[in-house]
Amino acid sequence: MVRRENLIAAHARVVRNGGAPGVDGMTVDELMPHCRQHWARIRADLLNGTYIPQPVRRVDIPKPDGKGTRTLGIPTVLDRFLQQALLQVLSPICDPTFSDASFGFRPKRSTHQAVRCARAHIAAGYRWVVDLDLEKFFDRVNHDVLMTRVARRVKDKRVLRLIRRYLQAGMMDGGLMSPRTEGTPQGGPLSPLLSNILLDEWDRELEQRGHRFVRYADDCNIYVRSKAAGERVMASLERWLLTRLRLRVNRNKSAVARPWTRKFLGYSVTWERAARLRVAPAAVQRLKTKLRRLLCAGRGRRLADLVVDLNLVTRGWGVYFRLAEVKASFEEVDQWLRRKLRCIVWRQWKRPRTRYRELRRHGLDEARARQSAWNGRGPWWNAGASHMQAALPPAVLRRIGLLSLLDEHLRLTRAP
Protein backbone atom coordinates (compact mmCIF):
# COMPACT_ATOMS: atom_id res chain seq x y z
CA MET A 1 0.00 0.00 0.00
CA VAL A 2 2.77 2.47 0.91
CA ARG A 3 5.04 1.77 -2.06
CA ARG A 4 6.01 4.94 -3.88
CA GLU A 5 4.59 3.97 -7.29
CA ASN A 6 1.24 2.95 -5.72
CA LEU A 7 1.01 6.22 -3.80
CA ILE A 8 1.79 8.30 -6.90
CA ALA A 9 -1.03 6.54 -8.81
CA ALA A 10 -3.41 7.02 -5.86
CA HIS A 11 -2.59 10.74 -5.61
CA ALA A 12 -3.17 11.22 -9.35
CA ARG A 13 -6.56 9.49 -9.10
CA VAL A 14 -7.70 11.55 -6.09
CA VAL A 15 -6.67 14.81 -7.76
CA ARG A 16 -8.40 13.80 -11.00
CA ASN A 17 -11.62 12.95 -9.14
CA GLY A 18 -11.55 16.23 -7.21
CA GLY A 19 -14.42 16.38 -4.77
CA ALA A 20 -15.36 18.43 -1.75
CA PRO A 21 -13.14 18.80 1.33
CA GLY A 22 -13.76 16.70 4.44
CA VAL A 23 -14.14 17.86 8.03
CA ASP A 24 -10.62 19.39 8.08
CA GLY A 25 -11.32 21.64 5.07
CA MET A 26 -8.27 20.41 3.14
CA THR A 27 -8.62 20.52 -0.66
CA VAL A 28 -7.01 18.17 -3.17
CA ASP A 29 -4.52 20.91 -4.11
CA GLU A 30 -3.29 21.00 -0.51
CA LEU A 31 -2.79 17.23 -0.28
CA MET A 32 0.72 17.03 -1.73
CA PRO A 33 2.22 19.81 0.46
CA HIS A 34 0.59 18.19 3.50
CA CYS A 35 2.05 14.78 2.65
CA ARG A 36 5.53 16.20 2.07
CA GLN A 37 5.46 17.68 5.56
CA HIS A 38 3.81 14.82 7.47
CA TRP A 39 4.34 11.64 5.41
CA ALA A 40 7.03 10.13 7.67
CA ARG A 41 4.61 10.15 10.62
CA ILE A 42 1.62 8.93 8.56
CA ARG A 43 3.64 6.08 7.05
CA ALA A 44 4.92 5.02 10.46
CA ASP A 45 1.37 5.02 11.86
CA LEU A 46 0.15 2.89 8.95
CA LEU A 47 2.95 0.34 9.32
CA ASN A 48 2.56 0.22 13.10
CA GLY A 49 -1.20 -0.20 12.85
CA THR A 50 -1.87 2.97 14.88
CA TYR A 51 -3.29 5.26 12.17
CA ILE A 52 -6.68 6.74 13.16
CA PRO A 53 -8.88 8.10 10.32
CA GLN A 54 -10.72 11.37 10.80
CA PRO A 55 -14.54 11.49 10.91
CA VAL A 56 -16.43 11.77 7.62
CA ARG A 57 -18.50 14.82 6.75
CA ARG A 58 -22.21 14.12 6.33
CA VAL A 59 -23.83 15.35 3.12
CA ASP A 60 -27.45 14.61 2.15
CA ILE A 61 -28.22 14.68 -1.56
CA PRO A 62 -31.63 14.18 -3.23
CA LYS A 63 -32.27 10.77 -4.75
CA PRO A 64 -32.62 10.61 -8.57
CA ASP A 65 -36.34 9.93 -8.32
CA GLY A 66 -36.81 12.99 -6.09
CA LYS A 67 -38.20 10.88 -3.21
CA GLY A 68 -36.11 11.45 -0.11
CA THR A 69 -32.37 11.94 0.25
CA ARG A 70 -29.26 9.77 0.19
CA THR A 71 -26.61 10.23 2.88
CA LEU A 72 -22.99 10.48 1.78
CA GLY A 73 -19.99 10.37 4.09
CA ILE A 74 -17.20 12.53 2.66
CA PRO A 75 -13.78 11.48 4.05
CA THR A 76 -10.95 13.97 4.32
CA VAL A 77 -8.71 14.27 1.26
CA LEU A 78 -5.91 12.45 3.12
CA ASP A 79 -8.21 9.55 3.97
CA ARG A 80 -9.49 9.41 0.38
CA PHE A 81 -5.86 9.22 -0.73
CA LEU A 82 -5.07 6.36 1.69
CA GLN A 83 -8.28 4.50 0.82
CA GLN A 84 -7.43 4.80 -2.88
CA ALA A 85 -3.93 3.44 -2.24
CA LEU A 86 -5.43 0.49 -0.33
CA LEU A 87 -8.08 -0.07 -3.02
CA GLN A 88 -5.40 -0.32 -5.74
CA VAL A 89 -3.77 -3.18 -3.82
CA LEU A 90 -6.93 -5.03 -2.79
CA SER A 91 -8.86 -4.76 -6.06
CA PRO A 92 -6.48 -6.96 -8.16
CA ILE A 93 -6.64 -9.57 -5.38
CA CYS A 94 -10.41 -9.59 -4.87
CA ASP A 95 -11.91 -8.67 -8.24
CA PRO A 96 -10.88 -11.82 -10.18
CA THR A 97 -12.72 -13.93 -7.61
CA PHE A 98 -16.05 -12.14 -8.03
CA SER A 99 -18.98 -13.60 -9.98
CA ASP A 100 -19.33 -13.03 -13.73
CA ALA A 101 -22.91 -11.87 -13.03
CA SER A 102 -21.66 -8.95 -10.89
CA PHE A 103 -21.04 -5.70 -12.80
CA GLY A 104 -21.05 -2.81 -10.33
CA PHE A 105 -17.87 -0.91 -9.37
CA ARG A 106 -15.56 -3.32 -11.17
CA PRO A 107 -12.79 -2.56 -13.68
CA LYS A 108 -13.65 -3.23 -17.33
CA ARG A 109 -17.31 -3.78 -16.45
CA SER A 110 -20.19 -1.40 -17.08
CA THR A 111 -23.91 -0.79 -16.76
CA HIS A 112 -24.33 -1.54 -20.47
CA GLN A 113 -22.85 -5.01 -20.01
CA ALA A 114 -25.27 -5.63 -17.15
CA VAL A 115 -28.24 -4.49 -19.26
CA ARG A 116 -27.21 -6.73 -22.18
CA CYS A 117 -26.87 -9.69 -19.81
CA ALA A 118 -30.37 -9.05 -18.41
CA ARG A 119 -31.84 -8.91 -21.91
CA ALA A 120 -30.12 -12.20 -22.79
CA HIS A 121 -31.82 -13.94 -19.86
CA ILE A 122 -35.23 -12.60 -20.93
CA ALA A 123 -34.60 -13.66 -24.54
CA ALA A 124 -33.78 -17.17 -23.29
CA GLY A 125 -37.34 -17.51 -21.98
CA TYR A 126 -36.95 -16.33 -18.38
CA ARG A 127 -39.79 -13.83 -18.60
CA TRP A 128 -40.43 -13.25 -14.89
CA VAL A 129 -38.08 -11.19 -12.74
CA VAL A 130 -37.45 -11.21 -9.00
CA ASP A 131 -36.49 -7.57 -8.52
CA LEU A 132 -34.78 -7.39 -5.11
CA ASP A 133 -34.06 -4.09 -3.39
CA LEU A 134 -31.98 -4.15 -0.20
CA GLU A 135 -33.27 -1.79 2.46
CA LYS A 136 -30.77 1.09 2.95
CA PHE A 137 -27.93 -1.26 2.05
CA PHE A 138 -24.97 1.11 2.50
CA ASP A 139 -26.41 2.37 5.82
CA ARG A 140 -27.20 -1.09 7.24
CA VAL A 141 -24.10 -3.19 6.52
CA ASN A 142 -23.16 -5.13 9.65
CA HIS A 143 -19.48 -4.45 10.42
CA ASP A 144 -18.78 -7.85 11.98
CA VAL A 145 -20.33 -9.74 9.07
CA LEU A 146 -18.41 -7.63 6.56
CA MET A 147 -15.07 -7.92 8.36
CA THR A 148 -15.47 -11.70 8.54
CA ARG A 149 -15.75 -11.80 4.74
CA VAL A 150 -12.81 -9.40 4.31
CA ALA A 151 -10.64 -11.47 6.68
CA ARG A 152 -11.11 -14.51 4.41
CA ARG A 153 -9.25 -12.61 1.67
CA VAL A 154 -6.83 -10.42 3.64
CA LYS A 155 -4.46 -11.82 6.27
CA ASP A 156 -2.53 -8.68 7.24
CA LYS A 157 -4.01 -7.67 10.60
CA ARG A 158 -2.87 -4.05 10.14
CA VAL A 159 -4.97 -3.80 6.98
CA LEU A 160 -7.96 -5.39 8.69
CA ARG A 161 -7.59 -2.99 11.60
CA LEU A 162 -7.39 -0.01 9.23
CA ILE A 163 -10.51 -1.09 7.30
CA ARG A 164 -12.49 -1.51 10.52
CA ARG A 165 -11.42 1.93 11.68
CA TYR A 166 -12.61 3.41 8.39
CA LEU A 167 -15.95 1.67 8.90
CA GLN A 168 -16.25 2.97 12.46
CA ALA A 169 -15.02 6.51 11.79
CA GLY A 170 -17.63 8.91 13.19
CA MET A 171 -19.87 11.11 11.05
CA MET A 172 -19.71 14.88 11.53
CA ASP A 173 -22.89 16.85 11.00
CA GLY A 174 -23.28 20.48 12.05
CA GLY A 175 -20.26 20.33 14.34
CA LEU A 176 -21.54 17.25 16.20
CA MET A 177 -19.95 13.83 15.72
CA SER A 178 -22.04 10.68 15.94
CA PRO A 179 -20.40 7.23 16.24
CA ARG A 180 -21.07 4.57 13.61
CA THR A 181 -21.79 0.96 14.52
CA GLU A 182 -23.09 -0.17 11.10
CA GLY A 183 -22.99 0.86 7.46
CA THR A 184 -20.31 1.79 4.96
CA PRO A 185 -21.26 5.29 3.81
CA GLN A 186 -21.02 6.13 0.13
CA GLY A 187 -18.37 8.72 -0.61
CA GLY A 188 -15.08 6.93 0.02
CA PRO A 189 -13.12 4.97 -2.62
CA LEU A 190 -13.12 1.79 -0.50
CA SER A 191 -16.89 1.42 0.05
CA PRO A 192 -17.76 -0.05 -3.39
CA LEU A 193 -15.14 -2.82 -3.06
CA LEU A 194 -16.28 -3.66 0.47
CA SER A 195 -19.89 -3.91 -0.73
CA ASN A 196 -18.84 -6.31 -3.50
CA ILE A 197 -16.87 -8.44 -1.01
CA LEU A 198 -19.95 -8.75 1.20
CA LEU A 199 -22.43 -9.41 -1.63
CA ASP A 200 -20.14 -11.90 -3.39
CA GLU A 201 -21.43 -14.55 -0.97
CA TRP A 202 -24.94 -13.78 -2.22
CA ASP A 203 -23.74 -14.19 -5.81
CA ARG A 204 -22.23 -17.59 -4.96
CA GLU A 205 -25.45 -18.71 -3.31
CA LEU A 206 -27.46 -17.76 -6.42
CA GLU A 207 -24.98 -19.60 -8.67
CA GLN A 208 -25.10 -22.68 -6.46
CA ARG A 209 -28.90 -22.68 -6.79
CA GLY A 210 -28.59 -22.43 -10.57
CA HIS A 211 -30.34 -19.08 -10.93
CA ARG A 212 -29.92 -16.67 -13.83
CA PHE A 213 -29.26 -13.25 -12.36
CA VAL A 214 -27.57 -9.88 -12.86
CA ARG A 215 -26.27 -7.75 -10.01
CA TYR A 216 -25.06 -4.17 -10.15
CA ALA A 217 -23.97 -3.06 -6.65
CA ASP A 218 -27.03 -3.67 -4.42
CA ASP A 219 -29.44 -3.80 -7.38
CA CYS A 220 -30.10 -7.47 -8.22
CA ASN A 221 -32.51 -9.03 -10.73
CA ILE A 222 -33.12 -12.80 -10.78
CA TYR A 223 -34.86 -14.22 -13.86
CA VAL A 224 -37.21 -17.21 -13.62
CA ARG A 225 -39.79 -18.90 -15.86
CA SER A 226 -42.96 -18.46 -13.76
CA LYS A 227 -44.52 -16.24 -11.13
CA ALA A 228 -44.78 -19.13 -8.67
CA ALA A 229 -41.05 -19.84 -9.01
CA GLY A 230 -40.32 -16.16 -8.51
CA GLU A 231 -42.34 -16.00 -5.30
CA ARG A 232 -40.54 -19.06 -3.93
CA VAL A 233 -37.18 -17.50 -4.78
CA MET A 234 -38.16 -14.18 -3.20
CA ALA A 235 -39.23 -15.80 0.11
CA SER A 236 -36.18 -18.06 0.27
CA LEU A 237 -33.66 -15.30 -0.48
CA GLU A 238 -35.28 -12.90 1.96
CA ARG A 239 -34.68 -15.44 4.76
CA TRP A 240 -31.16 -16.21 3.55
CA LEU A 241 -30.10 -12.56 3.38
CA LEU A 242 -31.39 -11.83 6.87
CA THR A 243 -29.80 -14.94 8.39
CA ARG A 244 -26.41 -14.94 6.65
CA LEU A 245 -25.68 -11.28 5.84
CA ARG A 246 -28.01 -9.45 8.27
CA LEU A 247 -29.55 -7.56 5.35
CA ARG A 248 -33.24 -6.79 4.95
CA VAL A 249 -35.21 -6.78 1.70
CA ASN A 250 -37.30 -3.67 1.09
CA ARG A 251 -40.68 -5.22 0.34
CA ASN A 252 -42.16 -1.94 -0.90
CA LYS A 253 -39.60 -1.67 -3.70
CA SER A 254 -39.09 -5.38 -4.41
CA ALA A 255 -41.46 -7.44 -6.55
CA VAL A 256 -42.00 -10.55 -8.65
CA ALA A 257 -43.20 -9.16 -11.96
CA ARG A 258 -42.84 -9.12 -15.71
CA PRO A 259 -39.58 -7.45 -16.82
CA TRP A 260 -41.42 -4.92 -18.99
CA THR A 261 -43.19 -3.54 -15.90
CA ARG A 262 -39.90 -3.01 -14.02
CA LYS A 263 -36.71 -1.08 -14.67
CA PHE A 264 -33.06 -2.06 -14.32
CA LEU A 265 -30.35 0.61 -14.43
CA GLY A 266 -32.78 2.97 -16.18
CA TYR A 267 -33.70 0.47 -18.91
CA SER A 268 -36.78 -1.67 -19.43
CA VAL A 269 -37.87 -4.06 -22.21
CA THR A 270 -40.82 -4.53 -24.52
CA TRP A 271 -43.30 -7.35 -24.01
CA GLU A 272 -42.68 -9.12 -27.34
CA ARG A 273 -41.08 -12.57 -27.44
CA ALA A 274 -37.94 -11.00 -28.93
CA ALA A 275 -37.72 -8.37 -26.21
CA ARG A 276 -36.22 -5.03 -27.20
CA LEU A 277 -34.54 -2.58 -24.85
CA ARG A 278 -36.31 0.70 -24.15
CA VAL A 279 -35.86 3.64 -21.82
CA ALA A 280 -37.83 3.16 -18.60
CA PRO A 281 -40.56 5.82 -18.12
CA ALA A 282 -39.06 6.75 -14.73
CA ALA A 283 -35.75 7.60 -16.44
CA VAL A 284 -37.57 9.92 -18.85
CA GLN A 285 -39.28 11.68 -15.93
CA ARG A 286 -35.95 12.12 -14.12
CA LEU A 287 -34.48 13.72 -17.22
CA LYS A 288 -37.43 16.10 -17.54
CA THR A 289 -37.08 17.06 -13.86
CA LYS A 290 -33.42 17.88 -14.39
CA LEU A 291 -34.13 19.87 -17.55
CA ARG A 292 -36.95 21.80 -15.84
CA ARG A 293 -34.45 23.27 -13.38
CA LEU A 294 -32.34 24.57 -16.26
CA LEU A 295 -35.38 25.84 -18.15
CA CYS A 296 -36.75 27.72 -15.13
CA ALA A 297 -33.36 29.35 -14.57
CA GLY A 298 -33.07 30.26 -18.25
CA ARG A 299 -36.21 32.31 -18.80
CA GLY A 300 -34.29 35.58 -18.93
CA ARG A 301 -31.32 34.27 -20.94
CA ARG A 302 -30.54 34.16 -24.63
CA LEU A 303 -31.98 31.01 -26.14
CA ALA A 304 -28.63 30.00 -27.66
CA ASP A 305 -26.90 30.16 -24.26
CA LEU A 306 -29.66 28.12 -22.63
CA VAL A 307 -29.44 25.51 -25.38
CA VAL A 308 -25.72 24.99 -24.65
CA ASP A 309 -26.55 24.01 -21.04
CA LEU A 310 -29.43 21.79 -22.13
CA ASN A 311 -27.23 19.97 -24.63
CA LEU A 312 -24.71 19.06 -21.92
CA VAL A 313 -27.45 17.15 -20.10
CA THR A 314 -29.26 15.60 -23.07
CA ARG A 315 -26.05 14.50 -24.83
CA GLY A 316 -24.87 12.52 -21.78
CA TRP A 317 -28.34 11.04 -21.32
CA GLY A 318 -28.46 10.00 -24.97
CA VAL A 319 -25.06 8.33 -24.78
CA TYR A 320 -26.08 6.34 -21.71
CA PHE A 321 -29.32 5.14 -23.35
CA ARG A 322 -27.78 4.39 -26.73
CA LEU A 323 -28.61 0.68 -26.27
CA ALA A 324 -32.35 1.43 -26.43
CA GLU A 325 -33.98 -0.13 -29.49
CA VAL A 326 -37.31 1.71 -29.10
CA LYS A 327 -37.11 5.32 -30.27
CA ALA A 328 -40.38 6.62 -28.76
CA SER A 329 -38.73 8.04 -25.63
CA PHE A 330 -36.25 10.09 -27.64
CA GLU A 331 -39.05 11.52 -29.81
CA GLU A 332 -41.11 12.30 -26.70
CA VAL A 333 -38.27 14.24 -25.02
CA ASP A 334 -37.46 16.09 -28.26
CA GLN A 335 -41.07 17.25 -28.68
CA TRP A 336 -41.39 18.18 -25.00
CA LEU A 337 -38.14 20.16 -24.99
CA ARG A 338 -39.01 22.06 -28.18
CA ARG A 339 -42.36 23.01 -26.69
CA LYS A 340 -40.70 24.19 -23.46
CA LEU A 341 -38.33 26.41 -25.46
CA ARG A 342 -41.21 27.87 -27.47
CA CYS A 343 -42.97 28.53 -24.15
CA ILE A 344 -39.93 30.49 -22.94
CA VAL A 345 -39.83 32.50 -26.16
CA TRP A 346 -43.56 33.29 -25.90
CA ARG A 347 -43.00 34.56 -22.35
CA GLN A 348 -40.03 36.65 -23.47
CA TRP A 349 -42.15 38.36 -26.13
CA LYS A 350 -44.47 39.43 -23.25
CA ARG A 351 -46.93 41.88 -24.89
CA PRO A 352 -49.38 41.09 -27.70
CA ARG A 353 -47.87 43.85 -29.86
CA THR A 354 -44.38 42.34 -29.49
CA ARG A 355 -45.74 38.87 -30.21
CA TYR A 356 -47.46 40.15 -33.34
CA ARG A 357 -44.23 41.77 -34.56
CA GLU A 358 -42.11 38.66 -33.84
CA LEU A 359 -44.59 36.28 -35.45
CA ARG A 360 -44.59 38.46 -38.57
CA ARG A 361 -40.78 38.51 -38.53
CA HIS A 362 -40.78 34.70 -38.36
CA GLY A 363 -42.87 34.41 -41.50
CA LEU A 364 -46.54 34.35 -40.45
CA ASP A 365 -49.03 36.33 -42.53
CA GLU A 366 -50.64 39.42 -41.01
CA ALA A 367 -54.08 37.97 -40.21
CA ARG A 368 -52.71 34.83 -38.59
CA ALA A 369 -50.07 36.74 -36.61
CA ARG A 370 -52.65 39.21 -35.30
CA GLN A 371 -55.12 36.49 -34.30
CA SER A 372 -52.40 34.46 -32.56
CA ALA A 373 -50.84 37.40 -30.71
CA TRP A 374 -54.16 38.44 -29.14
CA ASN A 375 -55.66 34.99 -28.49
CA GLY A 376 -55.57 35.35 -24.67
CA ARG A 377 -54.33 31.78 -24.10
CA GLY A 378 -51.48 30.83 -21.74
CA PRO A 379 -47.81 30.29 -22.70
CA TRP A 380 -47.94 26.47 -22.63
CA TRP A 381 -50.97 26.33 -24.92
CA ASN A 382 -49.39 28.77 -27.36
CA ALA A 383 -46.10 26.84 -27.29
CA GLY A 384 -47.96 23.79 -28.62
CA ALA A 385 -50.12 25.72 -31.09
CA SER A 386 -49.49 25.71 -34.84
CA HIS A 387 -48.45 29.38 -35.02
CA MET A 388 -45.46 28.86 -32.67
CA GLN A 389 -44.54 25.61 -34.39
CA ALA A 390 -44.54 27.52 -37.69
CA ALA A 391 -42.52 30.41 -36.21
CA LEU A 392 -39.98 28.15 -34.46
CA PRO A 393 -39.91 24.82 -36.32
CA PRO A 394 -37.36 22.12 -35.41
CA ALA A 395 -35.03 23.32 -38.17
CA VAL A 396 -34.79 26.81 -36.62
CA LEU A 397 -34.11 25.41 -33.14
CA ARG A 398 -31.49 23.09 -34.65
CA ARG A 399 -29.75 26.10 -36.21
CA ILE A 400 -29.68 27.74 -32.77
CA GLY A 401 -27.81 24.64 -31.62
CA LEU A 402 -30.47 22.44 -29.98
CA LEU A 403 -29.46 18.79 -30.00
CA SER A 404 -32.06 16.34 -31.25
CA LEU A 405 -32.00 13.24 -29.06
CA LEU A 406 -33.54 11.16 -31.83
CA ASP A 407 -30.94 12.26 -34.40
CA GLU A 408 -28.15 11.71 -31.88
CA HIS A 409 -29.51 8.25 -31.04
CA LEU A 410 -29.64 7.27 -34.69
CA ARG A 411 -26.07 8.50 -35.14
CA LEU A 412 -24.81 6.54 -32.13
CA THR A 413 -26.58 3.33 -33.14
CA ARG A 414 -25.18 3.55 -36.68
CA ALA A 415 -21.63 4.13 -35.43
CA PRO A 416 -19.34 1.08 -35.77
Side-chain angles (χ1 to χ4, degrees):
M1 173 185 171
V2 296
R3 285 180 180 169
R4 179 179 174 80
E5 59 273 18
N6 186 54
L7 293 172
I8 290 173
H11 177 265
R13 183 63 179 265
V14 169
V15 171
R16 186 165 64 249
N17 289 345
V23 294
D24 61 355
M26 184 190 300
T27 65
V28 291
D29 296 330
E30 297 170 324
L31 176 60
M32 183 61 79
H34 178 84
C35 286
R36 287 197 183 103
Q37 184 176 355
H38 300 284
W39 181 246
R41 175 183 57 80
I42 296 169
R43 185 178 188 276
D45 288 345
L46 288 168
L47 294 177
N48 294 333
T50 57
Y51 178 81
I52 306 295
Q54 294 190 62
V56 298
R57 181 168 65 88
R58 176 172 179 154
V59 176
D60 293 323
I61 62 171
K63 290 185 177 180
D65 57 7
K67 299 177 182 177
T69 59
R70 176 176 288 122
T71 299
L72 301 184
I74 308 299
T76 63
V77 173
L78 175 61
D79 283 324
R80 292 210 295 270
F81 166 58
L82 297 178
Q83 285 191 35
Q84 181 64 36
L86 183 56
L87 174 68
Q88 291 170 179
V89 176
L90 291 179
S91 186
I93 296 170
C94 299
D95 190 78
T97 68
F98 292 152
S99 168
D100 288 339
S102 167
F103 294 89
F105 309 124
R106 297 183 60 188
K108 298 181 181 178
R109 287 183 166 245
S110 67
T111 53
H112 285 175
Q113 291 174 323
V115 169
R116 288 190 183 103
C117 184
R119 180 180 59 177
H121 293 324
I122 298 168
Y126 295 80
R127 292 169 64 82
W128 286 89
V129 61
V130 182
D131 188 353
L132 278 172
D133 182 89
L134 298 179
E135 188 176 283
K136 296 183 178 179
F137 169 70
F138 285 96
D139 298 331
R140 298 282 175 83
V141 169
N142 183 284
H143 289 174
D144 293 333
V145 173
L146 172 58
M147 290 307 302
T148 300
R149 273 65 183 175
V150 175
R152 294 173 185 172
R153 302 166 182 267
V154 178
K155 301 306 177 185
D156 191 323
K157 294 187 182 302
R158 295 169 298 179
V159 172
L160 295 174
R161 195 178 300 120
L162 179 62
I163 292 175
R164 184 176 277 276
R165 284 173 178 165
Y166 274 123
L167 290 173
Q168 294 177 338
M171 183 172 285
M172 191 76 75
D173 183 20
L176 298 175
M177 190 187 77
S178 56
R180 285 217 318 272
T181 57
E182 62 178 3
T184 167
Q186 301 174 75
L190 206 53
S191 291
L193 177 65
L194 295 178
S195 69
N196 273 334
I197 289 174
L198 178 64
L199 294 177
D200 185 59
E201 186 169 342
W202 186 18
D203 297 339
R204 298 305 171 191
E205 177 68 17
L206 292 173
E207 288 176 345
Q208 188 174 343
R209 296 185 184 193
H211 290 311
R212 291 181 175 240
F213 70 99
V214 183
R215 183 176 67 80
Y216 193 95
D218 59 329
D219 194 355
C220 185
N221 279 4
I222 303 151
Y223 295 90
V224 294
R225 290 188 181 274
S226 69
K227 184 177 182 180
E231 289 171 346
R232 287 195 301 271
V233 169
M234 171 79 83
S236 175
L237 287 176
E238 189 173 7
R239 290 193 301 270
W240 187 92
L241 285 164
L242 185 60
T243 304
R244 294 296 296 271
L245 301 183
R246 310 275 184 88
L247 296 173
R248 293 184 179 277
V249 172
N250 187 334
R251 273 289 187 170
N252 293 330
K253 295 184 178 179
S254 303
V256 178
R258 293 292 196 178
W260 46 89
T261 66
R262 308 293 291 180
K263 62 181 177 66
F264 180 61
L265 300 176
Y267 282 86
S268 187
V269 294
T270 58
W271 59 269
E272 298 101 337
R273 180 63 60 181
R276 295 178 296 156
L277 290 174
R278 63 185 179 93
V279 182
V284 175
Q285 291 306 314
R286 281 200 300 271
L287 174 64
K288 288 182 178 180
T289 300
K290 193 170 185 177
L291 292 174
R292 276 192 189 97
R293 298 192 192 104
L294 294 174
L295 291 162
C296 288
R299 288 181 180 176
R301 300 173 59 193
R302 288 178 61 247
L303 206 60
D305 295 337
L306 174 59
V307 162
V308 171
D309 293 342
L310 294 172
N311 286 348
L312 290 175
V313 176
T314 55
R315 181 175 283 110
W317 191 86
V319 169
Y320 178 78
F321 286 106
R322 66 182 180 272
L323 296 185
E325 297 160 290
V326 179
K327 306 186 207 45
S329 297
F330 302 96
E331 293 175 326
E332 176 192 343
V333 175
D334 277 344
Q335 292 171 4
W336 177 84
L337 190 52
R338 287 195 294 263
R339 186 169 179 178
K340 294 293 280 187
L341 290 174
R342 293 184 189 116
C343 186
I344 288 175
V345 171
W346 186 261
R347 287 178 184 275
Q348 288 176 345
W349 289 346
K350 290 185 179 178
R351 298 176 181 176
R353 191 171 300 170
T354 306
R355 290 167 180 167
Y356 167 75
R357 185 177 65 247
E358 292 296 331
L359 288 172
R360 288 284 290 147
R361 191 170 67 84
H362 283 81
L364 271 68
D365 62 64
E366 182 178 355
R368 189 180 180 192
R370 187 178 301 280
Q371 182 183 7
S372 301
W374 273 274
N375 64 36
R377 301 272 191 165
W380 183 247
W381 184 91
N382 278 283
S386 60
H387 55 269
M388 282 300 287
Q389 293 184 36
L392 291 175
V396 170
L397 294 174
R398 197 176 297 118
R399 283 200 297 272
I400 294 172
L402 181 66
L403 178 74
S404 167
L405 272 172
L406 180 59
D407 292 346
E408 187 71 3
H409 179 68
L410 294 173
R411 184 185 68 80
L412 290 170
T413 53
R414 287 170 186 158

